């Protein structure tokens, strides 16, 4: 929401080239710039072969997102995960990752990433997990295990890139799971391709309407916009058109202001609509100190921070002015 | 109540209390671990995962077993403490501070009850006068009482120590474990209540208010000391009417003089909890009114609004025949 980006395509991330094979063959891909060898472009999507070691994944995805510089609409990871504690029947299916946890050795990392409301949780391990007791240890945190998701989450969070993860579940029952997977790669790649192509990945509904292009919001302003918009929609049952009309968007748009100033005006108006009592309360304070304002004081009530913040600059000439201000401040807090 | 996994500490696996719980939950297989702390809060588990993936830990509490409650927590002029018998709650109240308090919604039941009682005893010897010990600070006191099974032991302990007051706070109607107890005047059961329409919107899975009131009446008939907490009071257009109806409903079902006290407190959150609640329930009507960080760093309504709310609710109870001395403000230091 922060700017109109030229984001056009999804970036499909695969840990192994074999899992991407059908995509590479079917989508008429070409290597991209100096990342040729692990980053490819087709008319439909970018494809990254990330490797599976967490550090390798983090460096490649970071490099790739930096190189493509906002051309990526979203990152879709299509990979494999080992089923640790799934009910029978989970193997061989493709599922979305809900929350991603991470571990280094046997120690868990506290931070987690929630990507979806549905699907299985997954834990990313820095090392290959083979021993029974290690599998049990990780299964207490999540039913699926992989080696790359956590890195993708970290980088995508840092770069504010939307991320969704889809995993083909392989069984842990098989003693030769690795060899089995290798022999099945062609089939798995085809399944992932069909999943992407036909079942496709349902677009998440955009609940918060985007402001028009000539209104600019910084990240914190966008957050406020979301808050006020949600309140007006949920509490007052207003539609997008009604909200904009009430906020006087057209009039704001006609004014000769920069996009950010327009954004600020729109936000102030939405604040008034969302919190009329608070707005009135603040107005009353401004009125209380009107004489000081008339005398050249600057008083600014900042809505951009959720705190009781007043920015006042003044040159106090005598004690009566000081008293007046203190009285107004007391009133502001005690009404 | 269905747990997706039960993890039991090795040291208490063979204890009676543990075996009883495992027998009651025999449909859910358990695993043995060295310490619940190897897993609980080790990763940040989203609060709403409790809907589909809730674990139960059976463990021993080490370290601090009793903690001093903040000022204005309970009735004035007396000391108040919490004790740790459980962490987290099976209910899902949208305003619940537990959602930002722990970084996991999983339930922990501490089964070293004797050690907890010893800590209470030790605390009591250091403090003269009446002292309150509250059980429902980090969990609902009664919701899982049929499983945790400590009530009889605790009742026996407190009944022999009339100076110590024992309060069980709940949003459940699970009073059966209490009915076998012979109540003494220092055993108090308090029900958190809201107007039913609000409870339906905000207190998911908790017992309906009507059932809580019925449970309260039953306990009063059994000579228990019963109290109510109207906390949190949420700003909304019909607050006075809603609370008037609630007060009337209580007065119709329960003799007013039998109610020990009613605490009133306006909605508030520590900052971290506020962010977490906003994240979990972005559309909740809890956020329809502006909140600001107050002096105690908690997010609260503006003072004038809190005063209005508390007065309205106070008036609602007074006009239904409740006595001023039965009402007190909870966690509202600056409202006196």
């Amino acid at each position: 929401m922060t700017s109109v980006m030229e984001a056009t395509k999804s970036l499909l991330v695969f840990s192994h080239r074999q899992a991407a094979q059908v995509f590479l063959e079917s989508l008429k891909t070409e290597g991209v710039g100096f990342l040729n060898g692990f980053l490819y472009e087709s008319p439909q999507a970018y494809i990254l072969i990330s490797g599976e070691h967490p550090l390798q994944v983090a460096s490649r995805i970071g490099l790739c997102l930096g190189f493509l510089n906002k051309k990526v609409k979203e990152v879709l990871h299509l990979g494999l995960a080992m089923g640790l504690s799934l009910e029978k029947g989970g193997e061989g299916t493709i599922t979305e990752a809900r929350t991603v946890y991470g571990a280094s050795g046997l120690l868990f990392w506290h931070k987690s990433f929630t990507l979806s409301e549905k699907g299985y949780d997954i834990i990313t391990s820095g090392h290959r997990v083979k021993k029974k007791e290690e599998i049990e240890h990780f299964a207490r945190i999540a039913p699926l295990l992989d080696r790359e998701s956590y890195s993708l989450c970290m980088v995508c969070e840092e770069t504010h890139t939307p991320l969704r993860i889809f995993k083909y579940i392989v069984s842990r029952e098989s003693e030769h799971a690795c060899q089995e997977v290798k022999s099945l790669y062609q089939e798995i790649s085809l399944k992932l391709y069909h999943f992407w192509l036909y079942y496709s990945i349902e677009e998440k509904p955009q609940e918060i309407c985007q402001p028009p292009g000539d209104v600019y919001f910084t990240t914190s302003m966008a957050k406020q916009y979301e808050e006020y918009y949600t309140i007006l929609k949920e509490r007052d049952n207003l539609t997008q058109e009604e909200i904009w009309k009430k906020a006087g968007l057209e009039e704001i748009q006609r004014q000769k202001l920069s996009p950010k100033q327009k954004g600020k005006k729109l936000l102030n108006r939405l604040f008034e609509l969302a919190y009329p009592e608070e707005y009135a309360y603040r107005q009353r304070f401004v009125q209380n100190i009107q004489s000081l304002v008339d005398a050249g004081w600057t008083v600014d009530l900042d809505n951009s921070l959720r705190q009781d913040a007043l920015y006042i600059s003044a040159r106090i000439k005598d004690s009566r002015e000081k008293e007046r201000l203190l009285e107004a401040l007391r009133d502001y807090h005690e009404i | 109540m269905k747990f997706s996994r039960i993890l039991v500490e090795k040291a208490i696996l063979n204890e009676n209390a543990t075996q009883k719980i495992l027998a009651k939950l025999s449909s859910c297989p358990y695993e043995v671990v060295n310490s619940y702390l190897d897993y609980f809060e080790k990763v940040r588990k989203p609060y709403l995962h409790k809907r589909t993936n809730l674990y139960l830990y059976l463990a021993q509490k080490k370290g601090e077993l009793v903690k001093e409650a903040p000022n204005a927590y309970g009735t004035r002029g007396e000391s108040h403490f919490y004790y740790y018998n459980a962490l987290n709650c099976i209910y899902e109240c949208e305003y619940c501070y537990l959602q930002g308090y722990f970084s996991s919604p999983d339930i922990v039941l501490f089964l070293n009850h004797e050690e907890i009682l010893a800590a209470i005893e030790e605390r009591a010897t250091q403090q003269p006068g009446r002292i309150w010990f509250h059980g429902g600070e980090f969990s609902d006191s009664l919701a899982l009482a049929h499983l945790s099974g400590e009530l009889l032991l605790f009742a026996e302990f407190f009944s022999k120590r009339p100076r110590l007051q024992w309060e069980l706070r709940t949003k459940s109607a699970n009073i059966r474990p209490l009915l076998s107890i012979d109540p003494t005047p220092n055993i108090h059961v308090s029900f958190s209540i809201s107007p039913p329409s609000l409870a339906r919107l905000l207190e998911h899975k908790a017992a309906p208010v009507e059932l809580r009131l019925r449970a309260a009446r039953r306990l009063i008939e059994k000579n228990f000391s019963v109290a109510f907490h109207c906390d949190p009071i949420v700003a909304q257009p019909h607050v006075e009417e809603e609370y008037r109806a609630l007060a009337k409903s209580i007065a119709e079902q329960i003799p007013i003089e039998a109610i020990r006290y009613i605490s009133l407190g306006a909605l508030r959150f520590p900052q971290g909890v506020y962010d977490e609640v906003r994240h979990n329930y972005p559309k909740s009507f809890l956020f329809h009114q502006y909140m600001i960080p107050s002096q105690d760093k908690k997010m609260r309504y503006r003072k004038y609004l809190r005063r209005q709310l508390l007065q309205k609710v106070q008036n609602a109870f007074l006009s239904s025949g409740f006595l001023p001395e039965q009402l007190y403000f909870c966690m509202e230091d600056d409202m006196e």
Side-chain angles (χ1 to χ4, degrees):
Chain A
M1 198 194 293
T2 53
S3 66
V4 182
M5 296 189 295
E6 38 178 331
T8 50
K9 285 186 265 192
S10 299
L11 171 65
L12 311 182
V13 179
F14 300 86
S15 311
H16 301 282
R17 186 172 294 277
Q18 296 99 311
Q21 205 54 47
V22 176
F23 290 79
L24 292 170
E25 286 163 5
S26 310
L27 295 180
K28 294 180 183 161
T29 52
E30 285 180 15
V32 177
F34 75 98
L35 300 177
N36 186 9
F38 54 88
L39 179 62
Y40 302 88
E41 182 175 7
S42 81
Q44 297 91 342
Y46 296 102
I47 293 175
L48 171 70
I49 312 300
S50 66
E52 69 165 9
H53 188 280
L55 293 177
Q56 188 182 30
V57 175
S59 64
R60 282 195 180 175
I61 182 78
L63 203 56
C64 175
L65 288 174
F67 180 72
L68 294 174
N69 189 24
K70 294 184 177 174
K71 286 181 187 161
V72 173
K73 175 172 76 169
E74 62 181 344
V75 172
L76 296 179
H77 171 46
L78 296 155
L80 273 66
M82 186 202 273
L84 299 177
S85 60
L86 287 174
E87 320 78 66
K88 290 281 173 208
E91 295 90 3
T93 59
I94 298 171
T95 182
E96 185 160 11
R98 181 172 67 163
T99 296
V100 178
Y101 302 104
S104 176
L106 293 180
L107 296 176
F108 301 117
W109 289 323
H110 187 258
K111 187 174 170 68
S112 63
F113 301 90
T114 296
L115 307 175
S116 164
E117 286 178 11
K118 290 185 288 186
Y120 286 118
D121 298 338
I122 191 160
I123 181 156
T124 297
S125 161
H127 70 289
R128 284 192 188 282
V129 177
K130 288 180 183 167
K131 291 181 191 160
K132 186 172 173 273
E133 56 272 27
E134 286 187 0
I135 287 175
E136 283 172 1
H137 179 64
F138 288 122
R140 288 175 190 137
I141 299 295
L144 297 180
L145 176 98
D146 79 350
R147 299 198 62 206
E148 58 274 339
S149 291
Y150 199 84
S151 302
L152 292 173
C153 292
M154 284 175 82
V155 175
C156 287
E157 185 183 76
E158 286 294 321
T159 56
H160 305 290
T161 313
L163 166 69
R164 295 178 78 182
I165 291 175
F166 296 88
K167 289 289 185 181
Y168 178 93
I169 302 171
V170 294
S171 166
R172 68 153 165 146
E173 301 296 331
S174 164
E175 284 178 23
H176 309 289
C178 276
Q179 280 78 358
E180 207 171 279
V181 166
K182 276 178 190 164
S183 68
L184 288 173
Y185 255 129
Q186 179 68 21
E187 193 186 323
I188 292 171
S189 181
L190 191 64
K191 279 191 177 173
L192 289 171
Y193 183 67
H194 283 167
F195 179 77
W196 178 70
L197 204 60
Y198 298 118
Y199 303 103
S200 201
I201 293 151
E202 280 174 38
E203 295 255 336
K204 283 188 178 170
Q206 199 93 42
E207 290 202 359
I208 301 299
C209 76
Q210 305 294 308
D214 57 345
V215 173
Y216 173 79
F217 287 154
T218 61
T219 308
S220 63
M221 287 164 80
K223 216 173 154 188
Q224 281 180 276
Y225 174 72
E226 194 172 324
E227 177 186 331
Y228 306 156
Y229 182 87
T230 307
I231 286 177
L232 293 169
K233 191 166 166 255
E234 298 297 323
R235 183 191 64 195
D236 303 348
N237 291 319
L238 297 177
T239 62
Q240 172 185 312
E241 286 71 30
E242 288 168 335
I243 292 171
W244 282 1
K245 198 175 170 192
K246 276 186 166 244
L249 178 64
E250 274 185 26
E251 195 200 319
I252 293 170
Q253 282 176 312
R254 277 198 299 272
Q255 294 175 12
K256 284 186 181 171
L257 297 169
S258 70
K260 192 176 168 183
Q261 283 171 321
K262 286 181 187 174
K264 221 172 171 184
K265 280 227 165 201
L266 179 61
L267 272 188
N268 277 333
R269 188 70 191 111
L270 290 174
F271 178 78
E272 184 184 346
L273 293 171
Y275 301 115
E277 282 180 48
E278 175 67 17
Y279 184 80
Y281 185 86
R282 290 172 178 220
Q283 288 301 106
R284 181 176 158 182
F285 174 75
V286 173
Q287 279 163 18
N288 278 344
I289 54 168
Q290 192 55 48
S291 62
L292 299 177
V293 174
D294 293 344
W297 289 46
T298 307
V299 178
D300 180 21
L301 283 159
D302 190 346
N303 297 336
S304 66
L305 302 169
R306 182 169 284 279
Q307 59 182 19
D308 207 2
L310 292 173
Y311 294 93
I312 299 176
S313 68
R315 212 186 66 190
I316 299 171
K317 283 180 285 189
D318 54 45
S319 60
R320 271 181 307 169
E321 276 196 357
K322 190 182 90 183
E323 279 311 312
R324 184 78 191 91
L325 174 68
L326 290 176
E327 196 183 311
L329 286 173
R330 269 195 294 273
D331 187 65
Y332 180 67
H333 280 283
E334 294 290 328
I335 295 172
Chain B
M1 173 84 290
K2 192 170 182 293
F3 295 105
S4 48
R5 198 177 278 261
I6 301 174
L7 298 170
V8 188
E9 282 188 354
K10 205 174 182 176
I12 57 160
L13 178 63
N14 295 320
E15 298 285 325
N16 266 348
T18 312
Q19 287 302 321
K20 277 184 189 166
I21 295 172
L22 292 178
K24 282 179 185 163
L25 299 173
S26 57
S27 62
C28 181
Y30 67 88
E31 293 168 56
V32 181
V33 295
N34 286 326
S35 165
Y36 80 104
L37 292 170
D38 291 342
Y39 297 98
F40 180 73
E41 287 198 295
K42 278 293 172 201
V43 295
R44 201 190 162 283
K45 184 171 177 178
Y47 180 73
L48 294 182
H49 281 19
K50 71 191 292 184
R51 292 175 181 171
T52 53
N53 188 25
L54 185 66
Y55 288 11
L56 172 67
Y57 293 91
L58 303 180
Q60 295 180 94
K61 176 82 173 90
K62 306 273 189 199
E64 192 178 33
L65 303 177
V66 176
K67 191 182 175 188
E68 190 162 7
N71 286 336
Y73 180 79
T75 47
R76 289 293 157 103
E78 293 172 320
S79 306
H80 293 264
F81 295 89
Y82 323 125
Y83 61 86
Y84 291 86
N85 63 322
L87 307 180
N88 282 321
C89 178
I90 53 170
Y91 303 141
E92 190 197 315
C93 299
E94 291 190 7
Y95 51 74
C96 181
Y97 65 86
L98 289 174
Q99 59 195 298
Y101 198 90
F102 300 112
S103 48
S104 165
D106 293 332
I107 310 276
V108 184
L109 295 181
F110 295 119
L111 301 181
N112 49 330
H113 301 136
E114 284 86 358
E115 284 174 21
I116 296 169
L117 288 175
I120 290 174
E121 177 93 295
E122 194 188 332
R123 212 31 120 135
T125 54
Q126 297 162 1
Q127 203 94 15
R130 263 160 63 107
I131 315 176
W132 287 77
F133 291 93
H134 303 272
E137 188 55 22
F138 305 104
S139 179
D140 188 286
S141 296
L142 291 183
L144 291 178
H146 57 294
L147 270 186
S148 54
E150 81 279 23
L151 291 186
L152 265 175
L153 187 67
F154 274 63
E156 196 182 322
F157 172 87
F158 281 101
S159 62
K160 289 176 190 158
R161 293 162 181 80
R163 185 171 68 91
L164 312 187
Q165 309 300 306
W166 180 35
E167 190 198 36
L168 298 160
R169 288 191 180 189
T170 189
K171 280 197 194 87
S172 82
N174 185 24
I175 55 168
R176 191 176 292 176
L178 283 175
L179 297 177
S180 55
I181 289 173
D182 198 13
T184 49
N186 63 336
I187 300 176
H188 311 277
V189 183
S190 59
F191 293 85
S192 296
I193 46 164
S194 304
S197 60
L198 295 193
R200 273 193 292 276
L201 279 174
L202 296 172
E203 297 169 358
H204 312 295
K205 297 181 190 165
V209 174
E210 296 78 5
L211 290 186
R212 284 178 238 174
L213 292 182
R214 207 180 298 168
R217 188 179 62 196
R218 187 124 189 252
L219 288 179
I220 284 175
E221 284 164 5
K222 291 267 174 190
N223 289 325
F224 275 90
S225 160
V226 167
F228 292 103
H229 297 281
C230 290
D231 192 359
I233 298 167
V234 180
Q236 35 108 1
H238 309 293
V239 70
E240 194 156 6
E241 294 91 313
E242 298 260 23
Y243 276 92
R244 214 176 276 275
L246 178 67
K248 190 167 168 255
S249 168
I250 296 173
E252 280 169 1
Q253 296 183 55
I254 296 169
I256 288 178
E257 64 284 359
I259 297 168
R260 186 155 187 110
Y261 57 81
I262 297 175
S263 78
L264 312 178
L267 181 69
R268 63 201 172 273
F269 302 103
Q271 181 72 55
V273 177
Y274 178 83
D275 295 339
E276 184 70 21
V277 177
R278 264 214 115 98
H279 173 78
N280 291 333
Y281 306 100
K283 295 177 183 174
S284 175
F285 82 96
L286 291 174
F287 301 110
H288 288 179
Q289 190 69 42
Y290 201 70
M291 298 179 94
I292 55 161
S294 62
Q295 301 269 332
D296 60 0
K297 308 281 183 215
K298 287 194 172 80
M299 296 298 288
R300 292 177 184 269
Y301 297 133
R302 279 202 183 277
K303 200 169 173 181
Y304 79 94
L305 184 62
R306 276 194 285 145
R307 187 175 292 142
Q308 276 175 16
L309 275 178
L310 291 167
Q311 275 170 1
K312 281 178 183 173
V313 177
Q314 197 174 29
N315 290 342
F317 278 98
L318 292 176
S319 64
S320 298
F322 289 82
L323 302 171
E325 53 271 27
Q326 281 179 303
L327 305 173
Y328 79 94
F329 294 157
C330 179
M331 301 301 283
E332 298 284 357
D333 274 338
D334 50 354
M335 279 294 136
E336 299 296 326

